[in-house]
Amino acid sequence: MEAECVVADDAEELFDASETFKKSALLSSREQYAALYKNSVDDPDGFWSHTASQFFWKSKWEESKAHTENLDVRKGEIRVEWFKGGCTNICYNAVDRHVEAGRGDDVALLWEGNDPGFDMKLTYKELLDRVCQLSNYLLAVGIKKGDTVAIYMPMLLELPIAMLACARIGAVHSVVFAGFSAESLAQRILDCKPKVLLTTSGVKRGPKLIKLKEIVDDALNRCVQEGGHSVDYCLTYDNKLAIKREDTPWKEKRDVWWQDVVPNYPTDCPVEWVDAEDPLFLLYTSGSTGKPKGVLHTTGGYMVYTATTFKHAFDYHDGDVYWCTADCGWITGHSYVTYGPLLNKATVLIFEGVPNYPDAGRCWEIVDKYHVTIFYTAPTAIRALMRSGDEPVKRHSRKSLRVLGSVGEPINPSAWRWYFEVVGDSRCPIADTWWQTETGGFMITPLPGCWPLKPGSATLPFFGVQPAVVDENGKELDGECTGFLCMKASWPGIFRSLYGDHARYETTYFAPFKGFYFSGDGCRRDKDGYYWLTGRVDDVINVSGHRIGTAEVESALVAHPLAAEAAVVGIDHEVKGQGIYAFVTLNEGVEYTADLKSSLISTVRCQIGAFAAPDAIHWAPGLPKTRSGKIMRRILRKIASKQLDDLGDISTLADPGVVAQLIEFTEK
Ligand code: 6R9
């Protein structure tokens, strides 16, 4: 019996913002965008100098020479500078500037705890006081401009405070996501050698208690043993809601309770004016090899870029309440929890917990509680919530929502549609923002209100962004095409180096296609100039000469009404070169049957074509994901090719237990 063909996606459908939305939007037509875009690429120095002038600069750069760059390895060292010679401070611009403008009583940060009923808020004035006290502490323990400070904290208000306090005194923060293991934390500390580590006793994430300070002690011991590096101080926030002081491991002299010292420092602290090109932070990201890369961002360009992208992609208006579910341990949390929104004087919600605790309605309960107007999350979260059905969403009003956002991976059209129709009541445009740790801010993104959206497409480039789609020989392709996504010119938010390894910066990003920045992603540009990201090119599968993006097949699979999530990898195939091996998670309560396997396969056949039909479906009760929600295909490839004794490091997974489950399911 041929299984039923299920086609739920129609990727070319257009969704335009309502007239009501457009009427109050900052920009509301493609023509308006086109004129600004043209100006931004014809005269980048003029465009960005003008944009940058809304911020406070102690001294200015030379306006006609806002930037210099060399992105071509054949012409020598790769180098990018924006606003060089301009002196500023990002903390001053994100906090003091608003207080000095008389908006000190506006709410800067709202905090919602892991358990419902626990919350707090800070006005801009209160935020400034807290930041200054911590800056003063850091100065008192000897931190100077240019020194690195490591931060390993959960989503407490103190995390963005810590980032801002470093920036205020010109120190370079290196936030490590507080879900990384002791080993990973140690590896990062050994790379950037901070004198001070800021951390927390423990945290509750959902129903689980995580004893962070135990992990920290383990990591710090490893640093001494393996690299001979010790931190002078480990400032520890006492998170009473999670764990008692007496249950927290402690090393006298080195360890200091945050609440015992920081509040004793004065609430004013002079700003350290830094050059636009002075480093602001390091953030480690995984590369194709085991050693994490320390992505280095500098101050001025990053400031201007994150603020401007935030404002336009989310159509930010004064009074908006903004919630991004990302953790500050990732780039999304840096650019779009802390810096971008605060530079715009937004009210930012910080959520300590997880989207489905205590139940699948938590996000919408929070949206209603704080009247959130802009909600920004990842497709993986959307799909997880989708699995619980519409009821937990519909039981909350969500009337306040105006704009939705998506980030982290291509969003499959069926999840897009659910997000749009169910979460946003078909009223809120979705900003599907394509960007990377390396890019600092959004690169390809809808500007809601400017042009119609297509589910699954990140649409068009932001101001100043000049994408090039190139073929395998590095030749730029015209018009409608498919290839590797590169950038032809720099933009203010681009990273300037990999910490301590400028050579790796050049070989990874600039050597593959000479003259371009290479993103590592594949993409298609359609007849309307819209960009469709097809996933990392290392995830492209070549089946019988057909290049198939794993994301395309995944999207087709999850278009099946009973499928919740899918991950596809290539496996060696005698005839076709590569075959398609799909891991599929079904909706809650659905039985894993052989009939369903053939129904899934024919869905892909109908959606993409027979050549894309998976050769194998492997039932997956859960998928191995990093803590930022990215599927670890490396592990799936090993499972698919039955190399079970060679799985590599699985310690960075959010839940290493899923690997054993997957292996157990191999025979089903
Ligand atoms: C911001 C962030 C970057 C990689 C990137 C791409 C994928 C992110 C996406 C997307 C399609 C989107 N990615 N956003 N793919 N559509 N809207 O996630 O940074 O962790 O460095 O990951 O994520 O593959 O190259 P980062």
Side-chain angles (χ1 to χ4, degrees), residues 87-113:
C87 254
T88 189
N89 183 290
I90 196 169
C91 171
Y92 178 85
N93 276 292
V95 189
D96 303 51
R97 192 168 54 105
H98 310 311
V99 176
E100 287 173 17
R103 306 297 293 268
D105 292 334
D106 290 6
V107 176
L109 300 177
L110 294 162
W111 181 81
E112 169 79 8

mmCIF file of all heavy atoms in Angstrom, residues 87-113:
data_model
loop_
_atom_site.group_PDB
_atom_site.id
_atom_site.type_symbol
_atom_site.label_atom_id
_atom_site.label_comp_id
_atom_site.label_asym_id
_atom_site.label_seq_id
_atom_site.Cartn_x
_atom_site.Cartn_y
_atom_site.Cartn_z
ATOM 1 N N CYS A 87 36.137 57.860 20.206
ATOM 2 C CA CYS A 87 36.215 57.377 21.587
ATOM 3 C C CYS A 87 34.817 57.298 22.157
ATOM 4 O O CYS A 87 34.051 58.268 22.070
ATOM 5 C CB CYS A 87 37.003 58.369 22.424
ATOM 6 S SG CYS A 87 38.611 57.781 22.796
ATOM 7 N N THR A 88 34.472 56.162 22.747
ATOM 8 C CA THR A 88 33.128 56.026 23.306
ATOM 9 C C THR A 88 33.137 55.001 24.429
ATOM 10 O O THR A 88 34.197 54.533 24.844
ATOM 11 C CB THR A 88 32.124 55.638 22.192
ATOM 12 O OG1 THR A 88 30.800 55.726 22.712
ATOM 13 C CG2 THR A 88 32.361 54.226 21.676
ATOM 14 N N ASN A 89 31.944 54.676 24.922
ATOM 15 C CA ASN A 89 31.804 53.599 25.893
ATOM 16 C C ASN A 89 30.399 53.032 25.727
ATOM 17 O O ASN A 89 29.418 53.774 25.779
ATOM 18 C CB ASN A 89 32.028 54.119 27.319
ATOM 19 C CG ASN A 89 31.957 52.999 28.335
ATOM 20 O OD1 ASN A 89 30.887 52.449 28.590
ATOM 21 N ND2 ASN A 89 33.102 52.624 28.892
ATOM 22 N N ILE A 90 30.309 51.736 25.514
ATOM 23 C CA ILE A 90 29.003 51.134 25.205
ATOM 24 C C ILE A 90 28.098 51.110 26.442
ATOM 25 O O ILE A 90 26.878 51.252 26.334
ATOM 26 C CB ILE A 90 29.167 49.725 24.574
ATOM 27 C CG1 ILE A 90 27.875 49.261 23.891
ATOM 28 C CG2 ILE A 90 29.667 48.716 25.567
ATOM 29 C CD1 ILE A 90 28.034 48.005 23.027
ATOM 30 N N CYS A 91 28.682 50.970 27.625
ATOM 31 C CA CYS A 91 27.871 50.985 28.854
ATOM 32 C C CYS A 91 27.271 52.369 29.051
ATOM 33 O O CYS A 91 26.087 52.511 29.362
ATOM 34 C CB CYS A 91 28.733 50.585 30.046
ATOM 35 S SG CYS A 91 27.909 50.807 31.624
ATOM 36 N N TYR A 92 28.073 53.388 28.802
ATOM 37 C CA TYR A 92 27.566 54.756 28.925
ATOM 38 C C TYR A 92 26.379 54.954 27.982
ATOM 39 O O TYR A 92 25.335 55.493 28.354
ATOM 40 C CB TYR A 92 28.671 55.778 28.607
ATOM 41 C CG TYR A 92 28.148 57.198 28.679
ATOM 42 C CD1 TYR A 92 28.099 57.871 29.898
ATOM 43 C CD2 TYR A 92 27.649 57.821 27.542
ATOM 44 C CE1 TYR A 92 27.563 59.149 29.972
ATOM 45 C CE2 TYR A 92 27.111 59.091 27.598
ATOM 46 C CZ TYR A 92 27.071 59.749 28.822
ATOM 47 O OH TYR A 92 26.526 61.007 28.902
ATOM 48 N N ASN A 93 26.525 54.475 26.763
ATOM 49 C CA ASN A 93 25.462 54.654 25.772
ATOM 50 C C ASN A 93 24.222 53.816 26.058
ATOM 51 O O ASN A 93 23.116 54.200 25.699
ATOM 52 C CB ASN A 93 25.995 54.353 24.373
ATOM 53 C CG ASN A 93 26.689 55.563 23.776
ATOM 54 O OD1 ASN A 93 26.036 56.568 23.480
ATOM 55 N ND2 ASN A 93 28.009 55.503 23.657
ATOM 56 N N ALA A 94 24.422 52.665 26.703
ATOM 57 C CA ALA A 94 23.285 51.772 26.975
ATOM 58 C C ALA A 94 22.566 52.127 28.267
ATOM 59 O O ALA A 94 21.414 51.737 28.459
ATOM 60 C CB ALA A 94 23.770 50.329 27.035
ATOM 61 N N VAL A 95 23.244 52.832 29.169
ATOM 62 C CA VAL A 95 22.631 53.084 30.474
ATOM 63 C C VAL A 95 22.676 54.573 30.849
ATOM 64 O O VAL A 95 21.622 55.228 30.920
ATOM 65 C CB VAL A 95 23.307 52.237 31.584
ATOM 66 C CG1 VAL A 95 22.517 52.336 32.884
ATOM 67 C CG2 VAL A 95 23.425 50.766 31.167
ATOM 68 N N ASP A 96 23.846 55.118 31.089
ATOM 69 C CA ASP A 96 23.967 56.514 31.569
ATOM 70 C C ASP A 96 23.217 57.496 30.667
ATOM 71 O O ASP A 96 22.558 58.416 31.156
ATOM 72 C CB ASP A 96 25.433 56.982 31.584
ATOM 73 C CG ASP A 96 26.348 56.114 32.414
ATOM 74 O OD1 ASP A 96 26.332 54.887 32.213
ATOM 75 O OD2 ASP A 96 27.093 56.657 33.253
ATOM 76 N N ARG A 97 23.377 57.299 29.352
ATOM 77 C CA ARG A 97 22.795 58.232 28.388
ATOM 78 C C ARG A 97 21.287 58.386 28.626
ATOM 79 O O ARG A 97 20.750 59.485 28.568
ATOM 80 C CB ARG A 97 23.062 57.698 26.971
ATOM 81 C CG ARG A 97 22.781 58.661 25.840
ATOM 82 C CD ARG A 97 23.379 58.103 24.554
ATOM 83 N NE ARG A 97 22.921 56.741 24.283
ATOM 84 C CZ ARG A 97 22.025 56.424 23.358
ATOM 85 N NH1 ARG A 97 21.469 57.350 22.608
ATOM 86 N NH2 ARG A 97 21.687 55.156 23.173
ATOM 87 N N HIS A 98 20.601 57.292 28.927
ATOM 88 C CA HIS A 98 19.149 57.359 29.131
ATOM 89 C C HIS A 98 18.823 58.030 30.465
ATOM 90 O O HIS A 98 17.854 58.763 30.578
ATOM 91 C CB HIS A 98 18.533 55.964 29.090
ATOM 92 C CG HIS A 98 18.947 55.165 27.895
ATOM 93 N ND1 HIS A 98 18.889 55.667 26.614
ATOM 94 C CD2 HIS A 98 19.453 53.904 27.784
ATOM 95 C CE1 HIS A 98 19.332 54.741 25.768
ATOM 96 N NE2 HIS A 98 19.690 53.676 26.461
ATOM 97 N N VAL A 99 19.644 57.754 31.467
ATOM 98 C CA VAL A 99 19.416 58.370 32.780
ATOM 99 C C VAL A 99 19.625 59.877 32.660
ATOM 100 O O VAL A 99 18.813 60.676 33.137
ATOM 101 C CB VAL A 99 20.367 57.758 33.839
ATOM 102 C CG1 VAL A 99 20.215 58.458 35.185
ATOM 103 C CG2 VAL A 99 20.111 56.250 33.974
ATOM 104 N N GLU A 100 20.696 60.254 31.954
ATOM 105 C CA GLU A 100 20.981 61.689 31.791
ATOM 106 C C GLU A 100 19.906 62.385 30.961
ATOM 107 O O GLU A 100 19.703 63.588 31.078
ATOM 108 C CB GLU A 100 22.373 61.883 31.179
ATOM 109 C CG GLU A 100 23.447 61.577 32.216
ATOM 110 C CD GLU A 100 24.857 61.570 31.650
ATOM 111 O OE1 GLU A 100 25.067 62.098 30.546
ATOM 112 O OE2 GLU A 100 25.745 61.022 32.333
ATOM 113 N N ALA A 101 19.201 61.621 30.141
ATOM 114 C CA ALA A 101 18.127 62.215 29.335
ATOM 115 C C ALA A 101 16.808 62.252 30.110
ATOM 116 O O ALA A 101 15.750 62.511 29.546
ATOM 117 C CB ALA A 101 17.953 61.430 28.044
ATOM 118 N N GLY A 102 16.867 61.950 31.408
ATOM 119 C CA GLY A 102 15.670 62.047 32.241
ATOM 120 C C GLY A 102 14.794 60.805 32.224
ATOM 121 O O GLY A 102 13.656 60.832 32.672
ATOM 122 N N ARG A 103 15.326 59.688 31.705
ATOM 123 C CA ARG A 103 14.502 58.482 31.636
ATOM 124 C C ARG A 103 14.945 57.431 32.662
ATOM 125 O O ARG A 103 14.667 56.248 32.508
ATOM 126 C CB ARG A 103 14.569 57.888 30.220
ATOM 127 C CG ARG A 103 14.209 58.863 29.121
ATOM 128 C CD ARG A 103 12.775 59.347 29.229
ATOM 129 N NE ARG A 103 11.815 58.291 28.973
ATOM 130 C CZ ARG A 103 11.286 58.022 27.783
ATOM 131 N NH1 ARG A 103 11.602 58.754 26.750
ATOM 132 N NH2 ARG A 103 10.422 57.047 27.635
ATOM 133 N N GLY A 104 15.601 57.890 33.719
ATOM 134 C CA GLY A 104 16.123 56.987 34.750
ATOM 135 C C GLY A 104 15.060 56.152 35.439
ATOM 136 O O GLY A 104 15.353 55.077 35.965
ATOM 137 N N ASP A 105 13.796 56.628 35.443
ATOM 138 C CA ASP A 105 12.744 55.853 36.116
ATOM 139 C C ASP A 105 12.093 54.818 35.206
ATOM 140 O O ASP A 105 11.248 54.041 35.648
ATOM 141 C CB ASP A 105 11.661 56.792 36.673
ATOM 142 C CG ASP A 105 12.215 57.637 37.816
ATOM 143 O OD1 ASP A 105 13.185 57.175 38.468
ATOM 144 O OD2 ASP A 105 11.704 58.758 38.034
ATOM 145 N N ASP A 106 12.446 54.812 33.935
ATOM 146 C CA ASP A 106 11.894 53.793 33.035
ATOM 147 C C ASP A 106 12.487 52.433 33.398
ATOM 148 O O ASP A 106 13.641 52.344 33.815
ATOM 149 C CB ASP A 106 12.267 54.101 31.572
ATOM 150 C CG ASP A 106 11.534 55.328 31.051
ATOM 151 O OD1 ASP A 106 10.842 55.990 31.852
ATOM 152 O OD2 ASP A 106 11.662 55.632 29.849
ATOM 153 N N VAL A 107 11.694 51.400 33.199
ATOM 154 C CA VAL A 107 12.185 50.067 33.554
ATOM 155 C C VAL A 107 13.170 49.573 32.494
ATOM 156 O O VAL A 107 12.869 49.571 31.303
ATOM 157 C CB VAL A 107 11.015 49.061 33.693
ATOM 158 C CG1 VAL A 107 11.551 47.656 33.974
ATOM 159 C CG2 VAL A 107 10.073 49.496 34.803
ATOM 160 N N ALA A 108 14.345 49.168 32.959
ATOM 161 C CA ALA A 108 15.358 48.627 32.046
ATOM 162 C C ALA A 108 15.218 47.110 31.982
ATOM 163 O O ALA A 108 15.109 46.536 30.909
ATOM 164 C CB ALA A 108 16.749 48.998 32.529
ATOM 165 N N LEU A 109 15.233 46.474 33.140
ATOM 166 C CA LEU A 109 15.220 45.010 33.168
ATOM 167 C C LEU A 109 14.074 44.485 34.027
ATOM 168 O O LEU A 109 13.859 44.964 35.150
ATOM 169 C CB LEU A 109 16.539 44.480 33.739
ATOM 170 C CG LEU A 109 17.827 44.856 32.997
ATOM 171 C CD1 LEU A 109 19.051 44.308 33.736
ATOM 172 C CD2 LEU A 109 17.819 44.333 31.564
ATOM 173 N N LEU A 110 13.351 43.522 33.484
ATOM 174 C CA LEU A 110 12.340 42.783 34.240
ATOM 175 C C LEU A 110 12.929 41.397 34.414
ATOM 176 O O LEU A 110 13.553 40.872 33.487
ATOM 177 C CB LEU A 110 11.056 42.662 33.425
ATOM 178 C CG LEU A 110 10.285 43.942 33.131
ATOM 179 C CD1 LEU A 110 9.328 43.710 31.969
ATOM 180 C CD2 LEU A 110 9.535 44.394 34.378
ATOM 181 N N TRP A 111 12.728 40.810 35.572
ATOM 182 C CA TRP A 111 13.254 39.458 35.768
ATOM 183 C C TRP A 111 12.144 38.523 36.208
ATOM 184 O O TRP A 111 11.403 38.829 37.138
ATOM 185 C CB TRP A 111 14.371 39.477 36.813
ATOM 186 C CG TRP A 111 14.988 38.129 37.057
ATOM 187 C CD1 TRP A 111 15.941 37.525 36.290
ATOM 188 C CD2 TRP A 111 14.718 37.227 38.143
ATOM 189 N NE1 TRP A 111 16.279 36.304 36.824
ATOM 190 C CE2 TRP A 111 15.538 36.095 37.961
ATOM 191 C CE3 TRP A 111 13.862 37.261 39.254
ATOM 192 C CZ2 TRP A 111 15.533 35.010 38.842
ATOM 193 C CZ3 TRP A 111 13.849 36.179 40.126
ATOM 194 C CH2 TRP A 111 14.687 35.068 39.923
ATOM 195 N N GLU A 112 12.023 37.417 35.511
ATOM 196 C CA GLU A 112 11.049 36.387 35.865
ATOM 197 C C GLU A 112 11.830 35.138 36.232
ATOM 198 O O GLU A 112 12.633 34.636 35.438
ATOM 199 C CB GLU A 112 10.127 36.137 34.660
ATOM 200 C CG GLU A 112 9.222 34.934 34.763
ATOM 201 C CD GLU A 112 7.972 35.132 35.631
ATOM 202 O OE1 GLU A 112 7.685 36.279 36.064
ATOM 203 O OE2 GLU A 112 7.296 34.125 35.889
ATOM 204 N N GLY A 113 11.616 34.650 37.450
ATOM 205 C CA GLY A 113 12.377 33.507 37.942
ATOM 206 C C GLY A 113 11.944 32.199 37.312
ATOM 207 O O GLY A 113 10.919 32.111 36.626
#
